[in-house]
Amino acid sequence: FDPTDLVVIDANRAVISICKSCLGKPLGLNITDLFADDENADVHDLLDACRSSRPLRSASQLRLKHSLGNGVVARWQVHHFTSGNGPRGVLVMETVDQHRSEGATESRHSADSVLGDAIGDAAMADDLADTRAAQGPVAVHDRAINVAPLGVVIADANRQDVPIVYCNSAFEKMTGYSLSEVLGRNCRFLQCDDQQQPGVESLRQAIVQRRDCTAVVRNYRKDGRMFWCEVRVSPMRDATGSLTHFIGIQSDITQRVELHQQLEESQRALQNAQARACLGSWEYHPATGETTWSDEMYRLYHRDLSRGAPQDLEQFVMMLHQDDRQAAIERHERILESDQPVAQLDLRTNPELGPVRWLDSSAARIADESACGYHVAGTVLDVTDRKQAETALRESEHRFRTLCQHS
């Protein structure tokens, strides 16, 4: 409603169903026309709160006129915010008797908001009262926001503590809080006592600096359950460029985060297993030229992890013993030229980089959907102990034969 004249700008389906106005909607009515004449004292208190932006002195329970709502009694709340068209008010009602219409029972059970779903229109659209022709697309816009699968919340940027003035149905379902429970509160209440989060600090700074921000935070539902939430906050400005509101788009990404955590745990387990087995793994993607190594590969080749994997063949072969470089180049060329199996190859590391290791290296082409249609994957096993044992055995046999020949 417009606080200057208390004229109703828009109303949601529940209010229309309860009021049963002969107009079909209570649009254009004055708020004073909604209430029975025999409760003027409480009515005056409510109307004063609507005009002055002050809170109600007490919880008001007022009865609708019989011609509008069959004498329904409801609790009332008043909230104010500023849109591009100036001050706006929201009147929220919650019925307290049993004389509700059948259509009204389909509304939000926690509170039947008289103008709650109109907040988005008041905050983001031109004055809805200017022309009935403008109501069509704006109403469609409001319904689209309300049925969107992502949580949408709008906060007043010009009031102290940036209070919430609107949330859609997806937000209510995601958090367990109804519109009436979140109006006037700062979004930080969703983090409860878990405020010391990097994502929360990023959002705070974005609000202070009045800019866009995307962050992942731990939010808590009304029942206390934690969920991971990706939040994108954007400033909303009027036609003059002045900031009026912030809009927040919230997505429950709990499943995605948990899957990512499981993947990280699996990767750590694989790395630990490879380290115990002295087994490294690698991949080369010809379509992008990218090479990736497991952590164990860096240890085997005496390469610092911070340097990353070598990104071309020349860098790689320089990590090998000079007598093994040509064999490694030839095998690489065979792999790229044919999808036939390639024999394993024993390679030695460069003695200039650290103690020489013998590495049993295997590789194979694997079909994929890249531009090349394949990538190359391989493993490297440290067989230094085996090679040293074989060398010792050969030397022992040689000494034995030599001894026999001279005895």
Side-chain angles (χ1 to χ4, degrees):
F1 64 89
D2 187 336
T4 59
D5 56 16
L6 302 187
V7 171
V8 175
I9 296 174
D10 199 5
N12 72 353
R13 184 178 62 181
V15 173
I16 295 170
S17 177
I18 292 173
C19 288
K20 293 184 177 178
S21 170
C22 60
L23 298 176
K25 281 188 176 183
L27 301 181
L29 291 178
N30 193 287
I31 291 178
T32 58
D33 297 329
L34 297 176
F35 304 107
D37 293 332
D38 58 350
E39 299 188 64
N40 285 333
D42 290 336
V43 169
H44 288 322
D45 182 39
L46 178 65
L47 297 180
D48 185 47
C50 291
R51 293 189 185 98
S52 64
S53 301
R54 69 160 177 80
L56 291 172
R57 294 189 179 92
S58 61
S60 295
Q61 292 191 18
L62 303 175
R63 185 179 301 276
L64 294 171
K65 283 185 177 179
H66 288 272
S67 60
L68 292 176
N70 299 323
V72 171
V73 175
R75 297 186 184 92
W76 299 85
Q77 300 178 40
V78 180
H79 301 275
H80 290 267
F81 64 97
T82 302
S83 74
N85 299 303
R88 289 289 182 265
V90 180
L91 198 58
V92 181
M93 65 178 292
E94 180 181 3
T95 57
V96 296
D97 65 1
Q98 302 300 317
H99 301 291
R100 298 177 65 179
S101 66
E102 180 179 352
T105 60
E106 299 174 2
S107 67
R108 298 167 184 168
H109 298 295
S110 58
D112 293 302
S113 58
V114 175
L115 299 176
D117 287 346
I119 298 173
D121 291 345
M124 296 180 288
D126 291 332
D127 190 354
L128 302 182
D130 286 347
T131 171
R132 181 169 290 273
Q135 294 171 7
V138 173
V140 170
H141 184 264
D142 179 57
R143 289 196 298 272
I145 292 177
N146 199 49
V147 302
L150 300 179
V152 178
V153 62
I154 298 175
D156 191 332
N158 295 314
R159 290 175 61 192
Q160 184 177 1
D161 208 27
V162 194
I164 296 172
V165 295
Y166 173 83
C167 72
N168 69 347
S169 296
F171 178 89
E172 293 179 306
K173 182 178 180 181
M174 184 186 306
T175 65
Y177 291 97
S178 66
L179 173 64
S180 62
E181 291 175 305
V182 304
L183 285 176
R185 305 176 71 176
N186 186 283
C187 288
R188 78 172 71 89
F189 84 92
L190 291 171
Q191 288 92 50
C192 297
D193 296 330
D194 190 9
Q195 296 291 325
Q196 304 305 313
Q197 304 181 41
V200 172
E201 182 59 28
S202 297
L203 293 173
R204 288 190 187 119
Q205 291 300 320
I207 295 298
V208 171
Q209 299 170 13
R210 302 189 169 194
R211 58 174 173 80
D212 290 328
C213 178
T214 300
V216 175
V217 299
R218 294 182 297 273
N219 280 350
Y220 294 83
R221 308 184 204 277
K222 185 177 179 179
D223 61 10
R225 289 180 297 144
M226 188 275 287
F227 67 101
W228 288 96
C229 187
E230 184 177 71
V231 184
R232 177 170 179 81
V233 172
S234 297
M236 300 171 60
R237 304 182 185 276
D238 60 19
T240 67
S242 298
L243 178 68
T244 60
H245 296 81
F246 287 100
I247 183 169
I249 309 298
Q250 306 197 10
S251 177
D252 185 346
I253 61 169
T254 303
Q255 185 177 19
R256 189 177 82 191
V257 171
E258 290 177 347
L259 288 174
H260 181 70
Q261 291 173 340
Q262 293 173 8
L263 177 60
E264 287 184 331
E265 291 175 1
S266 297
Q267 290 176 336
R268 284 194 295 269
L270 176 60
Q271 290 172 358
N272 290 336
Q274 288 183 341
R276 290 193 297 270
C278 298
L279 177 69
S281 59
W282 57 272
E283 289 186 358
Y284 168 65
H285 296 263
T288 62
E290 181 184 15
T291 300
T292 58
W293 277 13
S294 69
D295 288 355
E296 183 64 9
M297 288 285 291
Y298 293 90
R299 189 189 70 81
L300 294 176
Y301 280 99
H302 305 293
R303 187 175 179 87
D304 191 280
L305 187 64
S306 63
R307 298 181 61 188
Q311 293 303 308
D312 58 53
L313 182 60
E314 182 179 356
Q315 287 185 27
F316 172 69
V317 296
M318 293 305 296
M319 300 169 63
L320 300 177
H321 193 286
Q322 61 179 1
D323 294 341
D324 296 338
R325 293 171 185 172
Q326 186 59 37
I329 293 173
E330 292 174 356
R331 186 184 70 167
H332 180 77
E333 293 174 347
R334 290 198 303 272
I335 292 174
L336 298 184
E337 293 171 356
S338 172
D339 59 358
Q340 296 300 313
V342 177
Q344 291 179 307
L345 186 64
D346 288 344
L347 300 171
R348 287 167 291 179
T349 60
N350 188 336
E352 296 178 0
L353 301 178
V356 174
R357 291 193 176 100
W358 280 93
L359 304 176
D360 183 346
S361 176
S362 62
R365 284 174 53 158
I366 299 177
D368 60 23
E369 297 181 358
S370 67
C372 291
Y374 73 94
H375 66 276
V376 182
T379 59
V380 174
L381 177 64
D382 187 348
V383 293
T384 305
D385 291 343
R386 189 190 73 192
K387 287 290 186 179
Q388 291 175 343
E390 291 174 351
T391 300
L393 179 60
R394 285 195 299 270
E395 292 176 350
S396 176
E397 290 176 344
H398 177 71
R399 288 195 299 270
F400 178 74
R401 285 194 297 271
T402 301
L403 180 63
C404 290
Q405 290 174 357
H406 292 83
S407 61

